[in-house]
Amino acid sequence: MSATKGSDQPASKTKKFGKGEREIPHHTQKAKKFYPAEDESKPKKVRKSIRPARPRASLTPGTVLILLAGRFRGKRVILLKHLPQGVLLITGPYKINGVPLRRVNARYVIATSVKVDLKGIDDKTVEKVGEEGYFTREKKDDKVGEEAFFKQGEKPEKKKVASARADDQKSVDKALLSNIKKESMLLEYLRSTFSLRSGDRPHEMKW
């Protein structure tokens, strides 16, 4: 027996054939006669290490940003916080330009030189809004059936904003509005939308 003691592998046998000897492996060690007709897909090893997102130096809390994409493109908003997901938490405020608390990709914003004082904002509310599951949609229990689908003449139900979100929006906007009103022309600046006309040179503009 050629197997060593204490090993988990099954022992192989040695047989004599005339003058020579040959080692015969155990039946569990023999090559399989069956093989898959198609190659089995193996997951690729990712060698890149996940690094935390590094925001631009100009993207500091309180900076007024211009949105370049999405539903509110052209609006001027206020940066509240950098979120760990690699996005920015912003607000209009909602009472001024209709932009609610939302997350925005840093690639689709222009940072201006205007800043707003964030004094008076509740840090707990900002942390609560910045949590990962805050902006997830709630699952609907009632599914639309065929009868409801084919009904005519009835107005569709309006989307109702959760009361908790509305309270968070009001608490953040209340502190911001008091600070914005102290600065002259800042309210009108946030209310106006940004747009380019023919002949404008954005690379020469001072933001």
Side-chain angles (χ1 to χ4, degrees), residues 199-207:
D200 289 345
R201 299 179 180 178
H203 60 282
E204 293 181 357
M205 294 180 180
K206 290 184 180 179
W207 306 99

Side-chain angles (χ1 to χ4, degrees), residues 8 10 63 77 106-107 119 182 196:
D8 296 334
T63 306
V77 295
R107 294 181 180 180
K119 189 178 180 182
K182 293 176 184 178
L196 289 172

Side-chain angles (χ1 to χ4, degrees), residues 47-196:
R47 295 181 181 179
K48 293 180 181 179
S49 59
I50 299 170
R51 298 177 182 176
R54 291 184 181 179
R56 283 176 275 165
S58 57
L59 297 174
T60 55
T63 306
V64 176
L65 310 176
I66 298 172
L67 300 180
L68 300 177
R71 179 184 170 190
F72 300 102
R73 60 182 176 273
K75 297 280 188 180
R76 292 180 170 92
V77 295
I78 300 168
L79 173 60
L80 296 176
K81 188 183 178 183
H82 295 280
L83 299 180
Q85 298 94 359
V87 290
L88 309 174
L89 180 65
I90 56 124
T91 185
Y94 182 77
K95 198 171 183 179
I96 295 174
N97 51 24
V99 182
L101 287 162
R102 62 190 289 116
R103 297 173 296 180
V104 174
N105 195 324
R107 294 181 180 180
Y108 304 112
V109 297
I110 296 174
T112 64
S113 57
V114 182
K115 287 193 175 184
V116 178
D117 188 13
L118 300 180
K119 189 178 180 182
I121 296 176
D122 190 12
D123 295 333
K124 291 182 180 179
T125 305
V126 176
E127 287 179 6
K128 177 187 171 185
V129 175
E131 288 177 359
E132 195 169 348
Y134 185 83
F135 291 98
T136 53
R137 292 182 180 180
E138 295 179 358
K139 292 183 179 180
K140 292 183 179 180
D141 297 331
D142 52 334
K143 293 183 179 180
V144 179
E146 290 183 5
E147 294 179 2
F149 182 78
F150 288 106
K151 278 183 180 179
Q152 295 180 357
E154 294 185 4
K155 293 181 179 179
E157 294 182 0
K158 291 183 178 180
K159 292 182 179 179
K160 294 180 181 179
V161 181
S163 59
R165 282 197 186 186
D167 294 339
D168 295 337
Q169 184 73 57
K170 287 177 183 177
S171 64
V172 172
D173 286 3
K174 188 177 181 182
L176 281 173
L177 283 168
S178 60
N179 295 333
I180 289 166
K181 288 176 181 178
K182 293 176 184 178
E183 301 277 339
S184 60
M185 300 298 292
L186 185 57
L187 189 71
E188 289 77 9
Y189 176 73
L190 292 170
R191 195 171 285 166
S192 63
T193 56
F194 172 79
S195 61
L196 289 172

